[in-house]
Each structure stands twice: as structure tokens, then as C-alpha cells.
Amino acid sequence: MKENGDLTVQHQTLREKILENIRDAILKGDLNPGERVSEPDIAERYGISRTPIREAFRQLESEGYLTVIPRKGAVVAKHTEKDIEEFYSIKSVLEGYAAQLAAEKMRPKDIDKLETINKRLEKLSKGKDVKTFFRAHNEFHEYFIRAAGNQKLLELIQQLLKKFEYLRIASLSLPGRMDISVQEHKKIIEAFRNNDGHTADLLVRKNAAYGGQVLLQNKNEENEKQNKSGCL
């Protein structure tokens, strides 16, 4: 029994390693949109069967990193301007509504919790560990979304955020983005402290919209660079 347990742990550990390596390669630009991610190459590199690789690919597809094409394999997902605009538009409305509901129910201990998380985010924003910042950032948002007390709304937001995880972490990776997020959180906390649902809604919508705007701006700049290099 113990041997089977050890194999399961090893299987999960390898899967997590593959997930992290592919995520990092995509975020750093080592793997570009449309580029094939080779299942055989990864199997040879790690000396493993293809089962954990396929599991990792399915998870990465659910997070918006990869697109798995039948009989062709996995490629790095391409996200259009429309994808980005639509995701952040829906995100802003749903999270804004959650903030409005949460503001009416916020107690002093909830404010303290949000401030504690945001202080941690402020420290993290001074460094380059985007993944740790991203996890704490999720914790901040999930806390007030849960505080809204609407289970169906929570489930909708969680499903949406998981599907577009790549876009969210890519946005936070841009220069200055983490610090701006921390400053916006401070304003949101103040709205919660005042039980001001209208202002909380507006601030959360603004924060989400900004995440999409900087991502679109960066995408346009990258496209311009590629066009210029293609003309040389």
C-alpha cells in the first residue's frame, strides 16, 4: 500500500513541476502564442509516461494557458483583444456586484483581515515574485466575494477566473501593476469600512477594467514591435 502511495505522490509532484515550468515559460515569453508544446519531448525530459503530462495539459487548458487540438496536440493559447475585453467586462460587473453586497455586511474583523492581506501584498509588490503576489491577490478578492453571501455569484466568479487565470497573472506581471493594485485595494477597503456599497462597486469595477486596459496596451505594443521587426 505504501508503495502505491509513494507512486501517487511522485506522480502528483511531477505533474505540478510540469505545470509550473510550462506556466513560467509562457509568462516569460519562452513559449509564444500558437507554438506547439510537445508531449513526447516533455515525457523524455522527465523520464515519465504521458499520463501526468496529459493531465497537466488539461489543467493548463482550463486555466487559459494552452489549447488542446484533437490529433494535433497542445499549443500555447492565443487570446484576442475581444477575449480580453469580454473577460474583464464580465469580471468587473460580477466582482463589483459582489463588493456592493459585501459592503453592507462588513464587520471590523473583516476590515482587519483585508488590511492584513493588503499589507502582505504591499511587501510583495516591492519584489518580483508575481506568483506569490497573485495567490495573495486572489485571497483578498475571494474574501470579500465570499462576504457577499451569494453562493451562486461566488461559483460564477470562480469559474470565470479559473478559465482566464493566464490573463490575470499576465496583467499583474506588467511593470508597476502590483503596486497600483495595492493602492486600489486601500480605496476599496475604505469603502467597505464606510459600508458604502455604491463606491465599493465602482472601485472594484475600475480596478478590474484597469487590469484589462494595461494588458491590451501591452498586447498592442508587442504587436507593433513585431510589425516593425518584420519590416526590417
Side-chain angles (χ1 to χ4, degrees), residues 5 11 115:
H11 177 96
E115 286 187 325

Side-chain angles (χ1 to χ4, degrees), residues 114-115 118-119 122 126 140 179-193 203:
L114 289 171
E115 286 187 325
N118 206 44
K119 284 176 183 175
E122 191 161 23
K126 310 302 179 189
F140 180 93
D179 183 58
I180 290 170
S181 180
V182 170
Q183 301 310 316
E184 290 300 312
H185 285 174
K186 289 179 181 179
K187 297 173 187 176
I188 293 167
I189 291 170
E190 193 59 29
F192 284 147
R193 193 191 312 278
L203 287 170

Side-chain angles (χ1 to χ4, degrees), residues 12-13 23-25 29 36 39 56 70 77 83 123 125 136 140 153 161 187 189 201 214-215 217 224 230-231:
Q12 290 173 339
T13 303
R23 286 189 191 114
D24 287 346
R36 187 168 179 268
E39 201 176 286
D83 290 333
K123 289 179 182 177
S125 71
F140 180 93
L153 179 61
L161 297 186
K187 297 173 187 176
I189 291 170
D201 179 8
V214 294
L215 201 55
Q217 183 180 345
E224 285 179 13
C231 293

Side-chain angles (χ1 to χ4, degrees), residues 89-119:
S89 293
I90 298 168
K91 180 179 186 289
S92 68
V93 171
L94 293 179
E95 287 195 346
Y97 179 50
Q100 180 183 339
L101 295 176
E104 301 165 4
K105 302 174 182 179
M106 282 285 169
R107 295 163 294 178
K109 70 172 188 177
D110 296 316
I111 303 299
D112 291 343
K113 176 67 175 178
L114 289 171
E115 286 187 325
T116 298
I117 298 170
N118 206 44
K119 284 176 183 175

